[in-house]
């Protein structure tokens, strides 16, 4: 086992102190920090403006546990899926989604998932561990390079909708976003980042208290407790009244509307009762609804609702002045679409 510390666990001040303690100038820590984050150096050898002696000293004291894209697949629609190998050999997946002039990175926050949504392939994997901030950051940096390579422009947006429940890895997710948005990191605007949660009220309130600047999405799928707890069993511990209260708190503190992610399934939430329950839930705070095309995961329990039902959802939501968008899935032919990430590659 390699017991050296991952150098990216150090703050810039700690790096500066390290160099002073080893008889060098503090600014050397600034140089190394820039290589680690804004330049995403994989090895100490990459740090070409630092002396060989200093690089060897770093090699003797630290490691850089950088991810590796173990396998990359390109869909017929231009979507790219990365199977990302972590330093301990575990695999997560992340996706580059191109739409017009934009590219979006869908990143993972856990190996496997803490929750048990029955319609999601990732939920069938046991949660093995949380991702570190640098492992989340690396997924974004890798997709940014692919965006430049394949689409000739920088990454536009980031969604935490890959493997795992982001709010069950709260501290590391927020630290990764801090690095992603820092001018010393990738310099992305927090308004271009969306964190999607299956709905953990206590952690949604904590987001509001921490005055985060990114966007919030909630995987809702039903505004009826009995239905929601059947398809998302964990939600029995978080009834909709608690979720509603936490979202009202979020809006009161941040002034930022929430997006509800909502899949409509045949025989589950494809009736008028389900539609009207969603309308009522949406009236509590400013929001928008994203109706998402369902992507099968090799069983017959969940089937996409008929087109007429989707039309009914749209017309009734709009009749009630609720913003609604229909999200068509991308990358289905490489199992890169929403709910399909399960390490098949």
């Amino acid at each position: 086992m390699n017991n050296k510390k991952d150098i990216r666990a150090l703050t810039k001040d700690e790096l500066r102190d390290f160099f002073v303690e080893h008889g060098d100038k503090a600014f050397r820590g600034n140089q190394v920090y820039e290589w680690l984050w804004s330049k995403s150096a994989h090895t100490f050898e990459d740090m070409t403006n630092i002396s060989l002696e200093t690089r060897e000293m770093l090699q003797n004291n630290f490691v850089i546990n950088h991810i590796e894209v173990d396998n990359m697949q390109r869909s017929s629609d231009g979507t790219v899926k990365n199977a990302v190998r972590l330093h301990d050999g575990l695999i997560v997946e992340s996706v580059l989604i191109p739409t017009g002039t934009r590219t979006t990175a869908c990143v993972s926050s856990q190996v496997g998932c803490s929750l048990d949504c029955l319609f999601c392939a990732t939920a069938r994997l046991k949660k093995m561990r949380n991702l570190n901030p640098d492992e989340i950051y690396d997924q974004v940096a890798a997709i940014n390079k692919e965006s430049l390579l394949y689409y000739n422009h920088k990454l536009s947006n980031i969604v935490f909708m890959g493997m795992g429940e982001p709010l069950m890895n709260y501290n590391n997710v927020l630290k990764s976003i801090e690095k992603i948005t820092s001018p010393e990191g990738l310099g992305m605007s927090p308004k271009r980042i969306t964190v999607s949660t299956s709905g953990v009220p206590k952690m949604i309130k904590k987001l509001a208290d921490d005055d985060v600047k990114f966007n919030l999405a909630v995987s809702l799928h039903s505004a009826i407790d009995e239905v929601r707890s059947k398809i998302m069993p964990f939600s029995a511990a978080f009834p909709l009244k608690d979720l509603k209260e936490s979202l009202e708190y979020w809006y009161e503190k941040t002034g930022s509307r929430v997006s509800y992610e909502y899949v409509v399934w045949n025989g589950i939430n494809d009736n008028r009762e389900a539609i009207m329950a969603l309308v009522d839930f949406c009236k509590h705070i400013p929001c928008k609804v994203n109706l998402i095309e369902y992507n099968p995961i090799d069983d017959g329990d969940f089937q996409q609702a008929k087109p007429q039902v989707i039309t009914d959802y749209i017309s009734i939501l709009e009749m009630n002045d609720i913003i609604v968008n229909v999200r068509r899935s991308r990358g289905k032919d490489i199992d890169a679409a929403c709910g399909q990430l399960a390490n098949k590659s």
Side-chain angles (χ1 to χ4, degrees):
M1 282 294 282
N2 191 334
N3 292 319
K4 295 178 189 175
K5 186 170 186 175
D6 187 339
I7 193 170
R8 289 190 296 176
L10 273 60
T11 65
K12 186 197 279 190
D13 286 342
E14 288 170 335
L15 270 174
R16 288 169 60 88
D17 291 345
F18 172 82
F19 279 103
V20 170
E21 289 164 9
H22 285 76
D24 206 334
K25 299 286 193 295
F27 81 88
R28 195 76 64 208
N30 298 355
Q31 288 180 304
V32 172
Y33 192 86
E34 181 182 10
W35 276 109
L36 293 172
W37 296 107
S38 65
K39 296 181 179 178
S40 294
H42 286 218
T43 68
F44 296 113
E45 288 75 23
D46 293 337
M47 301 178 183
T48 50
N49 65 343
I50 294 172
S51 71
L52 179 60
E53 182 183 10
T54 301
R55 282 180 273 160
E56 288 176 347
M57 184 264 289
L58 290 171
Q59 187 80 49
N60 291 334
N61 284 275
F62 300 107
V63 292
I64 304 174
N65 286 329
H66 206 283
I67 67 162
E68 297 293 338
V69 177
D70 196 54
N71 185 35
M72 186 194 75
Q73 295 172 275
R74 292 191 72 189
S75 166
S76 57
D77 64 20
T79 300
V80 176
K81 182 171 77 167
N82 293 327
V84 172
R85 185 172 297 278
L86 309 175
H87 69 93
D88 54 5
L90 294 173
I91 300 282
V92 295
E93 294 180 340
S94 55
V95 182
L96 166 63
I97 307 162
T99 51
T101 58
R102 295 190 342 177
T103 50
T104 298
C106 177
V107 298
S108 295
S109 56
Q110 295 179 312
V111 185
C113 188
S114 307
L115 304 181
D116 54 7
C117 303
L118 301 182
F119 51 84
C120 179
T122 308
R124 298 181 177 187
L125 306 173
K126 65 176 183 178
K127 180 209 160 188
M128 286 165 263
R129 69 172 175 87
N130 288 329
L131 294 186
N132 297 326
D134 53 276
E135 293 171 325
I136 298 170
Y137 182 95
D138 283 352
Q139 292 175 71
V140 177
I143 291 176
N144 185 48
K145 287 181 181 177
E146 291 168 347
S147 180
L148 288 165
L149 177 63
Y150 296 123
Y151 297 100
N152 204 33
H153 58 80
K154 289 183 178 179
L155 186 64
S156 311
N157 297 79
I158 303 168
V159 293
F160 281 75
M161 296 182 183
M163 303 171 74
E165 165 53 60
L167 298 193
M168 294 295 193
N169 187 16
Y170 188 93
N171 291 333
N172 288 350
V173 165
L174 262 62
K175 284 178 184 175
S176 73
I177 293 174
E178 183 182 334
K179 285 285 193 293
I180 289 164
T181 56
S182 168
E184 297 177 312
L186 295 177
M188 290 191 68
S189 167
K191 288 300 179 188
R192 293 184 172 275
I193 299 173
T194 298
V195 171
S196 178
T197 175
S198 292
V200 186
K202 179 174 72 172
M203 304 313 293
I204 290 171
K205 288 183 176 180
K206 182 165 173 54
L207 283 176
D209 287 336
D210 286 342
D211 195 28
V212 300
K213 303 302 182 188
F214 50 77
N215 303 303
L216 179 66
V218 175
S219 294
L220 189 61
H221 307 307
S222 178
I224 300 170
D225 272 315
E226 294 76 14
V227 177
R228 195 165 190 263
S229 61
K230 281 180 183 175
I231 60 176
M232 306 166 75
F234 79 91
S235 70
F238 306 117
L240 286 164
K241 67 178 180 61
D242 293 348
L243 178 59
K244 174 178 73 70
E245 181 193 342
S246 71
L247 293 171
E248 290 172 337
Y249 186 84
W250 158 272
Y251 184 74
E252 180 186 335
K253 297 277 281 190
T254 68
S256 179
R257 74 181 181 192
V258 174
S259 296
Y260 295 128
E261 310 295 326
Y262 199 100
V263 179
V264 187
W265 291 285
N266 189 42
I268 294 175
N269 56 357
D270 60 346
N271 52 56
R272 188 172 179 84
E273 180 190 8
I275 299 173
M276 297 315 299
L278 176 59
V279 168
D280 289 342
F281 195 86
C282 288
K283 288 182 176 178
H284 295 291
I285 60 167
C287 65
K288 66 177 180 179
V289 175
N290 293 323
L291 295 177
I292 302 171
E293 182 181 1
Y294 179 61
N295 306 294
I297 53 171
D298 300 330
D299 59 39
D301 293 339
F302 294 88
Q303 297 294 328
Q304 177 76 27
K306 294 178 175 60
Q308 182 57 50
V309 178
I310 306 300
T311 301
D312 292 344
Y313 262 94
I314 294 168
S315 62
I316 294 174
L317 287 166
E318 289 182 341
M319 196 184 308
N320 285 273
D321 297 320
I322 297 163
I323 299 168
V324 57
N325 299 301
V326 177
R327 297 279 189 243
R328 302 298 178 193
S329 292
R330 305 294 299 271
K332 289 192 283 187
D333 57 328
I334 55 170
D335 293 317
C338 185
Q340 290 186 320
L341 299 187
N343 290 342
K344 284 187 182 179
S345 54

